[in-house]
């Protein structure tokens, strides 16, 4: 269901629709003094407290921004349940959206007010960074809320979670290469990245070190310029529409907002694999089958982009970067096992990943023990 569809079906009906996976709790937050308007969505706490970032976005392109924000929070929270389950973390899925242009309305007072709302949930939701929020924002929120991760190292935090997000996506790409071409490397392959912001620019570096040819695009010209000033060999194209049609593309990496794979994109996509950092890349159910029918390998987004949540989850244990990176490295094995399961079951990789995650949530064990997945 699209974000704009919320008002057409009725907000309450949308919240309780079983085909969206159900949500345990949705909190609408408003603080008139600071101008805060936010949505906190908890999809599941079957495996532990919900863990997921706070998105700060205006939704200005939507006729009804508040409804669009609500649907985004619902979809993102559900994705976090699956992501945390597949990452083997003792956490459920939660996500928050602050409505507004962060360049215009973000203030210390607003972030503190938001922190108080998160704290009011008593630890059922643990927040972190997402699009539009940064480490310094988490430091402010943490002044009102102890259930805040992604803080600066100076404040006892893990710092920028995009570091391990990009590392995990790279591991997913290596697994894709292993499955398609028989070797876990992108050397000599052409990779197109749509969005080279917080995560994308780290991914560029991993790929160049591995010997890949990298082509990028971004809605912000200055972001592309920053990448190309450091890496002149990186090529740039005008927009995502040009990138998906780029001749000779081996891997397409959506690393911006969701919905990148839709009925217009998939038929013209030249890549042999899709593996990127963006959440909710499939615009609607059925896109995963369209990709499979075209022979395009899809690495499920919530599997390969789990490095960031692995990093901030480790912060709750007393952050150890080496420990978190070692866990993020396992994304390679997880992704490869999903491809193998998909082949065995005769389903797209997205369906195979969903089945495993749902078994883990049903069993209440992030390691899958006690479920059909583990053979018991």
């Amino acid at each position: 269901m699209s974000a704009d569809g919320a008002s057409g079906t009725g907000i309450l009906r949308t919240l309780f629709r079983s085909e969206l996976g159900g949500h345990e709790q949705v909190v609408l937050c408003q603080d008139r003094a600071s101008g805060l308007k936010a949505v906190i969505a908890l999809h599941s706490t079957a495996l532990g407290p919900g863990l997921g970032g706070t998105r700060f976005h205006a939704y200005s392109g939507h006729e009804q921004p508040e409804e669009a924000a609500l649907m985004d929070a619902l979809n993102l929270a559900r994705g976090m349940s699956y992501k945390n389950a597949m990452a083997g973390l003792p956490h459920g899925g939660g996500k928050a959206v602050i409505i507004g242009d962060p360049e215009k309305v973000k203030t210390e007072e607003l972030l503190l007010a938001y922190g108080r709302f998160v704290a009011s949930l008593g630890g059922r939701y643990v927040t972190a960074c997402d699009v539009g929020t940064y480490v310094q924002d988490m430091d402010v929120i943490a002044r009102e809320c102890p259930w805040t991760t992604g803080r600066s190292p100076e404040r006892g935090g893990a710092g920028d979670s995009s570091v391990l997000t990009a590392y995990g996506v790279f591991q997913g790409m290596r697994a894709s290469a292993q499955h398609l071409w028989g070797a876990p490397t992108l050397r000599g392959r052409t990779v197109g990245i749509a969005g080279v912001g917080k995560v994308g620019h780290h991914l560029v570096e991993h790929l160049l070190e591995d010997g890949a040819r990298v082509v990028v695009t971004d809605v912000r010209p200055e972001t592309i310029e920053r990448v190309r000033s450091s890496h002149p060999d990186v090529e740039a194209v005008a927009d995502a529409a040009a990138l998906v049609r780029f001749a000779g593309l081996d891997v397409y990496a959506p690393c911006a907002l969701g919905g990148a794979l839709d009925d217009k994109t998939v038929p013209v996509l030249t890549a042999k694999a899709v593996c990127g950092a963006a959440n909710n890349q499939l615009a609607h159910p059925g896109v995963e089958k369209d990709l499979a029918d075209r022979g395009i390998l899809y690495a499920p987004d919530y599997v390969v982009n789990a490095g960031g949540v692995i990093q901030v989850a480790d912060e709750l244990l007393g952050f150890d970067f080496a420990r978190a990176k070692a866990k993020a490295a396992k994304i390679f094995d997880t992704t490869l096992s999903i491809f193998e399961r998909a082949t065995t079951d005769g389903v797209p990789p997205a369906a195979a990943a969903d089945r495993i995650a749902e078994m883990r949530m049903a069993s209440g064990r992030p390691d899958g023990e006690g479920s059909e997945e583990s053979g018991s």
Side-chain angles (χ1 to χ4, degrees), residues 94-107:
K95 204 80 174 186
V97 171
I98 298 175
I99 305 168
D101 184 343
E103 300 293 330
K104 297 178 180 178
V105 304
K106 186 192 293 183
T107 63

Side-chain angles (χ1 to χ4, degrees), residues 84-360:
N84 291 336
M86 285 305 303
L89 297 174
H91 287 284
K95 204 80 174 186
V97 171
I98 298 175
I99 305 168
D101 184 343
E103 300 293 330
K104 297 178 180 178
V105 304
K106 186 192 293 183
T107 63
E108 182 177 281
E109 290 74 21
L110 183 147
L111 293 173
L112 290 171
Y114 170 70
R116 289 191 290 272
F117 279 110
V118 176
S120 73
L121 296 175
R124 281 173 53 77
Y125 170 58
V126 182
T127 196
C129 300
D130 194 73
V131 175
T133 59
Y134 302 87
V135 169
Q136 58 268 32
D137 299 327
M138 295 303 113
D139 283 345
V140 174
I141 292 168
R143 286 157 51 187
E144 292 285 355
C145 178
W147 297 285
T148 305
T149 61
R151 296 165 295 152
S152 67
E154 295 77 15
R155 301 293 179 89
D160 182 7
S161 62
S162 64
V163 173
L164 287 190
T165 301
Y167 179 71
V169 173
F170 178 60
Q171 298 308 315
M173 281 192 190
R174 291 180 61 243
S176 301
Q178 174 71 49
H179 185 78
L180 285 175
W181 303 302
T185 178
L186 283 304
R187 180 170 297 280
R189 303 291 175 183
T190 300
V191 180
I193 304 177
V196 283
K198 287 201 291 187
V199 175
H201 81 276
H202 290 300
L203 184 58
V204 167
E205 293 172 358
H206 288 301
L207 289 166
L208 291 176
E209 289 174 6
D210 196 37
R213 175 192 180 193
V214 178
V215 186
V216 304
T217 191
D218 197 286
V219 295
R220 297 187 176 186
E222 65 272 18
T223 303
I224 295 175
E225 185 55 37
R226 182 182 68 168
V227 170
R228 297 196 71 245
S229 64
S230 300
H231 307 289
D233 290 341
V234 171
E235 302 171 54
V237 295
D239 51 30
L243 187 59
V244 298
R245 294 173 170 82
F246 193 87
L249 197 65
D250 291 300
V251 181
Y252 175 54
C255 293
L257 296 177
L261 302 170
D262 57 23
D263 296 334
K264 293 181 179 179
T265 300
V266 173
V268 298
L269 184 59
T270 59
K272 302 171 184 67
V274 176
C275 180
N279 288 309
N280 298 331
Q281 293 171 24
L282 305 177
H284 60 78
V287 175
E288 70 282 3
K289 185 178 184 302
D290 294 338
L291 287 165
D293 288 347
R294 288 206 59 219
I296 300 171
L297 182 68
Y298 174 64
D301 49 31
Y302 65 79
V303 175
V304 302
N305 68 14
V309 75
I310 289 170
Q311 180 170 332
V312 297
D314 193 84
E315 185 176 327
L316 299 171
L317 307 174
F319 185 59
D320 183 309
F321 183 79
R323 178 176 61 200
K325 185 175 182 181
K327 192 170 184 67
K330 295 179 181 178
I331 290 173
F332 174 86
D333 294 324
T334 301
T335 307
L336 204 56
S337 70
I338 288 169
F339 293 150
E340 293 167 356
R341 172 77 176 260
T343 300
T344 299
D345 292 356
V347 298
D354 284 355
R355 289 178 182 180
I356 296 171
E358 287 161 4
M359 288 178 187
R360 292 184 178 186

